[in-house]
Structures are given as C-alpha cells and as structure tokens.
C-alpha cells in the first residue's frame, strides 16, 4: 500500500 | 475514476450550482454564511496550487478551475452585488479559530514538508471544518430555507461519497491517503445532525427548523 505522490482527487 | 468519486464530484458541483442559483434568482444571500464561503475559497486556492505543477487530466483541471472561480464569484455576490441582503449579524463565527489550528496541524502532520504539500494538507484540514460557520448561522437563526438545505445536503454528501471512493480505492488500487480519509470522516460527521433533520423534515416538505 502506498500514498500517491501526486494528488489525483479534488 | 469510480462511481463514488464521480457522484461525489457531481454532488459538489450541484451544491455550488444550487447556491449560485439561489443567490441569483432570489437576489439575496440571506441565510448563507459569508465566512464559510471565504473558507471554501481559501480551501480551493491553497489546494489547487498544483495546477501549476502537476497535470492529472482535463477533467481534473477543469473541475479545479470551476471550484476556484465559482468560490470567488460567490464571495463577490455576497460582499458586493447582494451585500445588503447578507446576514452580518448572525454570521459571527470567528474563522481564525479554524484557520490557525488547521495551519499548525498541517505544519505538524503532513506527507511531506514542502510548501505545496503543507498547503494541500492545510486545505484538507480546513475543508473538514469550513462548514462550521454555516451550521453556526443556521443554529443561530434556528431555521434554513429549503433551498439552503438542499445546498447543504449536496455539499455534505460530496465528502461522504468520497469516503466510499476511498474504501473502493483501498481494495481496488491499493491506494489510500490517511490525511484525506481522517479529515473526510470528520467533515462528514459534522453534517450528521443536519442530515438527520434534512431527511426527517425537509424531504417531507417541512421547513428545516431546529427544535427550540
């Protein structure tokens, strides 16, 4: 499991 | 993009459209907290700074721009065009009590200590409590017009739907962001009392009136 480096949500 | 995320975004968009239509059609922003609207404008401008650094999709860019621009239009309508109808006397929540703790928390608990990431985190924390001045205004006046209730319902549903989106993404994509999830939970919980009144009163054709 990981946290995305870029935020792809609003 | 999954169905929960899409419904969440649409619910958010519908909330903004309802609010702007209410103000425009009734020529009045009575019952709307200008302080919550200022907080939302701060939330969008600090969160979407990544418009300058990261490209996600056309959809993403479009929605970010819509949220930023409509929040500025709303503030303009409330503080200039329909200023006379703005409920100053009841809109007395001190927003610095939300902004400062959100900022301190963002400096302490974040995914990465960079300006853009700390501001993103700040916006997530601030959004979770940004509705408080609006709920405070409703509790002070003891009631809300049904159009304002619909606005609040759509706005509250949006982060609730995001919670389902995050559950889905955890299992389907191995993706999760604890900061967003915890803040989203707090945000949705703050609406629970309102949701209850909305379902038991407004949907049955009654006015949203708080028990005396």
């Amino acid at each position: 499991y990981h946290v995305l480096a870029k935020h792809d949500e609003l | 993009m999954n169905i929960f995320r899409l419904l969440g975004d649409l619910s958010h968009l519908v909330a903004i459209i309802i609010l702007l239509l209410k103000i425009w059609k009734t020529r009045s922003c009575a019952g709307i907290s200008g302080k919550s609207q200022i907080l939302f404008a701060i939330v969008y401008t600090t969160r979407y700074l990544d418009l300058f650094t990261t490209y996600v999709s056309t959809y993403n860019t479009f929605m970010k721009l819509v949220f930023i621009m409509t929040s500025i239009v709303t503030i303009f309508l409330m503080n200039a065009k329909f200023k006379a109808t703005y409920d100053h006397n009841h809109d007395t929540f001190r927003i610095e009590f939300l902004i400062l703790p959100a900022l301190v928390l963002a400096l302490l608990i974040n995914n990465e200590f960079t300006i853009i990431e700390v501001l993103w985190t700040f916006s997530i924390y601030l959004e979770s409590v940004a509705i408080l001045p609006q709920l405070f205004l409703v509790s002070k006046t003891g009631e809300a017009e049904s159009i304002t209730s619909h606005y609040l319902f759509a706005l509250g549903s949006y982060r609730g739907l995001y919670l389902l989106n995050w559950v889905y993404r955890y299992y389907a994509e191995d993706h999760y962001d604890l900061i967003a999830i915890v803040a989203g939970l707090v945000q949705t919980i703050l609406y629970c009392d309102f949701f209850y009144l909305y379902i038991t009163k407004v949907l049955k054709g009654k006015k949203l009136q708080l028990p005396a």
Side-chain angles (χ1 to χ4, degrees):
Chain A
Y1 289 87
H2 61 279
V3 171
L4 276 186
K6 73 178 178 183
H7 303 293
D8 60 351
E9 290 174 345
L10 296 168
Chain B
M1 177 71 88
N2 57 65
I3 187 72
F4 306 114
R5 159 84 198 278
L6 182 63
L7 288 176
D9 287 348
L10 289 180
S11 173
H12 194 183
L13 199 59
V14 165
I16 290 170
I17 292 169
I18 291 175
L19 178 65
L20 286 173
L21 277 179
K22 173 235 157 8
I23 296 176
W24 193 255
K25 293 273 181 190
T26 62
R27 322 296 290 171
S28 162
C29 51
I32 302 297
S33 165
K35 304 219 170 176
S36 278
Q37 296 307 317
I38 287 172
L39 293 180
F40 285 126
I42 295 173
V43 164
Y44 303 137
T45 45
T46 50
R47 184 173 315 166
Y48 301 150
L49 284 174
D50 65 356
L51 278 169
F52 297 106
T53 61
T54 330
Y55 175 79
V56 178
S57 64
T58 310
Y59 169 84
N60 205 280
T61 302
F62 173 77
M63 294 294 262
K64 285 173 175 173
L65 290 174
V66 167
F67 291 150
I68 293 174
M69 288 189 298
T70 50
S71 69
I72 292 168
V73 168
T74 306
I75 289 177
F76 166 77
L77 291 178
M78 295 193 69
N79 293 284
K81 194 162 175 64
F82 301 122
K83 190 181 170 72
T85 62
Y86 171 38
D87 221 348
H88 275 288
N89 298 333
H90 291 117
D91 194 17
T92 50
F93 198 98
R94 301 276 298 271
I95 55 174
E96 57 272 35
F97 291 154
L98 300 178
I99 294 174
L100 290 176
L103 187 60
V104 171
L105 201 59
L107 287 166
L108 295 174
I109 305 174
N110 52 59
N111 288 327
E112 196 181 74
F113 199 74
T114 59
I115 290 175
I116 209 154
E117 188 61 26
V118 168
L119 285 175
W120 178 86
T121 313
F122 163 71
S123 92
I124 292 287
Y125 294 152
L126 187 61
E127 183 187 347
S128 70
V129 292
I131 201 60
L132 285 177
Q134 177 65 56
L135 295 176
F136 183 69
L137 173 61
V138 172
S139 76
K140 262 200 135 183
T141 57
E143 59 181 34
E145 289 176 79
S146 59
I147 187 76
T148 305
S149 307
H150 299 325
Y151 161 68
L152 281 170
F153 183 76
L155 192 63
S157 306
Y158 131 73
R159 220 53 177 173
L161 287 160
Y162 258 73
L163 290 175
L164 299 177
N165 154 55
W166 291 323
V167 171
Y168 175 87
R169 292 191 73 177
Y170 181 82
Y171 291 108
E173 301 168 26
D174 283 2
H175 167 274
Y176 74 101
D177 184 334
L178 261 187
I179 287 176
I181 292 171
V182 173
L185 265 174
V186 170
Q187 186 166 338
T188 306
I189 288 168
L190 290 182
Y191 282 88
C192 281
D193 187 40
F194 167 79
F195 284 152
Y196 174 77
L197 290 172
Y198 185 82
I199 291 165
T200 56
K201 293 200 171 171
V202 182
L203 288 185
K204 292 184 178 152
K206 292 184 229 162
K207 197 173 180 177
L208 190 134
Q209 236 162 351
L210 300 181

